[in-house]
Amino acid sequence: MPTLLIIEDEVHLANNIAEFMRRREWDVEIAHTAEDGLARVAGIAPDVVLLDFNLPRMDGLATLDILRERDPQARVIMITGRSSVQLAVDAMKAGAVDFLVKPLSLVNAHELLQRTVRDVRLHRRIEYHHSRDRSTTAHLLGESPAMLTLKARIRQVASMEPVDGAPPAILIMGETGSGKELVARACQYESGRRERPFIEINCAAIPANLLESELFGHERGAFTDARERKIGLFEAADQGTLFLDEVSEMDAAVQVKLLKFLDDHRMRRLGSVQDRRVDVRVIAATNRPLQQLEREGSFRADLLHRLSVIRLALPPLRERGRDIALLANRFAATIGTRYGKPELMLSLEAVQLLETHPWPGNVRELRNVIEQAVVTCEEPVLDVSAISLPAVMTQSMTPDLMSAAEPVGDALANAEREVILRALENCNWNVLQTARLLGVSRDTIRYRMRRHELRRRLPDPG
Ligand SMILES: Nc1ncnc2c1ncn2[C@@H]1O[C@H](COP(=O)(O)OP(=O)(O)OP(=O)(O)O)[C@@H](O)[C@H]1O
Ligand SMILES: [Mg+2]
């Protein structure tokens, strides 16, 4: 569900737009002043902001500037009282994506918003692909037997290229934060496909009805919104790799199409009559246990088998023995350098403490704990006192994770819910900050907030 923030002092107009968009499955928030909008933007983390040019007290362009500073990812569409070329030019120069003129047509506004959010999402993924390092198994730290075996297996799997057709799909399994994305990248950048595209899509972050056209593309006029022809990610990833993250959240209809694709590596754009052959390696990842997915019946068993021709399983961090110390020291060194404390070391006791923690958030959690310790520590040695492990995890979480009575899936879901809730509370329910703290995208946070029904409880009035 995309999120919209409307900053508009005409109450009636703001309410009308909000109503119209909510009926079309958008999350909408309204601010009637620039000050209020600016104060709330980081907490809302909107995909798009509709910003009125003529707000009391604050100039439209100045507001736009601050908005973009507070939330660089938000796309801003200006609303102007009259059509003025100069105004439009200024707004675009200042970073607005487009503008709408009053009196506003709700249908046009909806169309523009829809288009913008689609572009944003596609843009973010592609940008991601270009900006992130081309990491290999060398970036996957760890010397425990399980990790050494995994790295050898990745190298072996990456080099598998049948003479005819695309290589078999790979399924990466592991708890949240255990390194699935790193493994996917290593599979790409150690393979002969390394110079070709690596495209990632998070199946949980995209509304089901959009996912299909994102993946397969569409012809012009295939559905009401399809103004132009668009190639899908399968075609965009030709000769490279498509990484389907959180594949367990894929909608049933898309599962059928993916299964068909894996059968013959042929696909068809929505609204087209022609099949195309594309050479794409599919890598899927999930943090939900396979058995659970099969049991629940939410995921097709035949697709699961197709996807998991090759399975790579990441062990949870708590089962990697001395890797905890290795990773902690490495993170302390790199993060310390970044904060101007290159000599920073962990005390023996601190390492021992880290080794007793169950790490429900795995490597991501470890890195965050170290980062927090590095930032707050004033001594040359990071000791136990500098390390704050969330009590909720050391006390209530451990028995949960160990208990045989509770299925692992539930324990993990509970642990995840707790981690996110605590992070949100620490960040005063600021979605952007929480995403940064946990090292995930804001779409992920928003998605999980919905899934775990996490909502800020407002104090009772009066
Ligand atoms: N073995 C490792 N060595 C170094 N860094 C690691 C390792 N494993 C994970 N990390 C780091 O931990 C963070 C989380 O890893 P990653 O995003 O790959 O996890 P994930 O399994 O995809 O998690 P999620 O299920 O939440 O998507 C990243 O910043 C990653 O670089
Ligand atoms: Mg991931």
Side-chain angles (χ1 to χ4, degrees):
M1 207 189 295
T3 306
L4 168 68
L5 169 63
I6 304 172
I7 309 181
E8 167 63 75
D9 60 334
E10 285 177 43
V11 178
H12 208 64
L13 175 61
N15 288 342
N16 279 345
I17 304 174
E19 176 70 0
F20 193 82
M21 294 308 293
R22 282 186 190 126
R23 276 205 227 119
R24 280 151 190 84
E25 309 257 289
W26 279 59
D27 246 338
V28 186
E29 298 272 333
I30 301 177
H32 292 304
T33 63
E35 293 86 343
D36 184 31
L38 290 174
R40 284 161 55 202
V41 67
I44 297 168
D47 291 294
V48 189
V49 180
L50 269 181
L51 172 63
D52 187 9
F53 223 102
N54 300 305
L55 291 164
R57 292 184 301 279
M58 258 183 107
D59 163 43
L61 288 182
T63 314
L64 174 61
D65 261 356
I66 306 174
L67 254 181
R68 289 183 40 86
E69 201 182 284
R70 301 252 163 105
D71 181 2
Q73 285 192 347
R75 299 291 154 114
V76 183
I77 296 173
M78 307 294 294
I79 307 177
T80 71
R82 67 203 136 84
S83 162
S84 144
V85 176
Q86 193 49 47
L87 217 58
V89 172
D90 289 347
M92 303 297 228
K93 269 198 200 145
V97 283
D98 215 326
F99 75 117
L100 289 163
V101 181
K102 287 184 197 172
L104 198 114
S105 142
L106 289 176
V107 174
N108 288 350
H110 170 247
E111 221 168 79
L112 177 59
L113 286 168
Q114 207 62 30
R115 210 171 338 122
T116 308
V117 77
R118 244 196 323 262
D119 287 353
V120 174
R121 291 185 171 195
L122 194 61
H123 185 75
R124 264 188 219 149
R125 276 193 309 279
I126 307 278
E127 202 171 54
Y128 196 55
H129 155 58
H130 288 300
S131 64
R132 288 283 286 256
D133 355 308
R134 303 159 56 92
S135 61
T136 62
T137 46
H139 298 80
L140 208 53
L141 304 177
E143 306 296 328
S144 57
M147 287 305 283
L148 291 179
T149 312
L150 178 66
K151 286 191 265 191
R153 179 118 166 85
I154 292 171
R155 283 189 289 269
Q156 179 212 1
V157 161
S159 63
M160 266 182 212
E161 280 283 346
V163 275
D164 55 336
I170 300 174
L171 181 69
I172 304 171
M173 292 167 295
E175 292 179 8
T176 182
S178 60
K180 296 185 291 299
E181 192 181 319
L182 277 186
V183 170
R185 282 171 195 281
C187 288
Q188 161 78 354
Y189 295 110
E190 301 221 1
S191 79
R193 297 175 174 256
R194 71 179 70 82
E195 297 304 329
R196 309 298 309 176
F198 174 80
I199 295 183
E200 179 197 344
I201 182 164
N202 186 318
C203 303
I206 305 223
N209 56 335
L210 284 187
L211 184 61
E212 185 172 349
S213 77
E214 288 286 330
L215 288 175
F216 296 95
H218 57 74
E219 294 295 338
R220 197 172 146 195
F223 46 89
T224 332
D225 273 358
R227 294 245 213 107
E228 281 129 46
R229 167 152 137 227
K230 193 177 96 180
I231 71 159
L233 297 179
F234 273 110
E235 279 179 86
D238 197 16
Q239 297 181 52
T241 298
L242 184 63
F243 174 37
L244 301 170
D245 206 357
E246 304 222 40
V247 73
S248 59
E249 308 307 311
M250 187 180 271
D251 171 81
V254 187
Q255 288 182 30
V256 175
K257 294 198 84 170
L258 176 60
L259 179 65
K260 188 190 158 292
F261 174 82
L262 291 169
D263 265 338
D264 58 6
H265 280 267
R266 302 180 77 83
M267 48 128 312
R268 189 182 285 198
R269 293 181 190 151
L270 269 70
S272 166
V273 290
Q274 196 196 348
D275 271 0
R276 273 157 228 278
R277 205 189 146 74
V278 287
D279 165 20
V280 171
R281 163 166 248 168
V282 173
I283 302 182
T286 174
N287 55 23
R288 306 231 264 139
L290 274 181
Q291 296 82 343
Q292 188 193 341
L293 291 178
E294 288 196 273
R295 214 174 36 233
E296 285 173 2
S298 60
F299 205 79
R300 297 179 67 101
D302 46 6
L303 178 56
L304 205 51
H305 291 132
R306 267 272 170 213
L307 281 175
S308 58
V309 175
I310 297 168
R311 294 182 188 195
L312 298 174
L314 273 151
L317 181 59
R318 63 187 162 278
E319 289 170 15
R320 295 187 207 171
R322 295 295 298 163
D323 278 359
I324 295 176
L326 181 151
L327 283 161
N329 280 310
R330 196 70 77 85
F331 290 149
T334 50
I335 297 169
T337 306
R338 191 142 43 84
Y339 285 95
K341 307 172 184 175
E343 311 289 326
L344 206 60
M345 302 238 301
L346 283 159
S347 75
L348 204 61
E349 292 74 21
V351 171
Q352 279 164 356
L353 173 68
L354 295 174
E355 286 180 334
T356 61
H357 187 64
W359 301 110
N362 292 288
V363 183
R364 179 182 297 122
E365 186 191 0
L366 174 62
R367 206 196 45 201
N368 289 340
V369 165
I370 300 287
E371 174 147 17
Q372 207 167 30
V374 169
V375 173
T376 49
C377 173
E378 317 224 303
E379 317 290 324
V381 175
L382 267 186
D383 199 9
V384 176
S385 60
I387 290 174
S388 86
L389 294 173
V392 60
M393 291 186 222
T394 43
Q395 287 155 19
S396 69
M397 221 38 81
T398 317
D400 272 5
L401 283 169
M402 304 302 169
S403 126
E406 188 176 17
V408 177
D410 292 352
L412 277 179
N414 289 340
E416 179 182 276
R417 187 177 195 282
E418 274 309 316
V419 170
I420 294 173
L421 180 61
R422 284 187 64 87
L424 279 163
E425 276 170 355
N426 280 335
C427 298
N428 201 18
W429 292 80
N430 181 318
V431 176
L432 279 184
Q433 259 181 35
T434 309
R436 234 173 272 142
L437 177 72
L438 296 177
V440 299
S441 75
R442 58 201 203 161
D443 280 339
T444 304
I445 294 292
R446 271 209 293 255
Y447 166 72
R448 310 255 161 180
M449 283 169 72
R450 273 203 296 280
R451 182 152 107 185
H452 296 300
E453 300 186 336
L454 290 169
R455 239 167 272 127
R456 174 179 217 160
R457 240 175 294 136
L458 295 170
D460 290 332

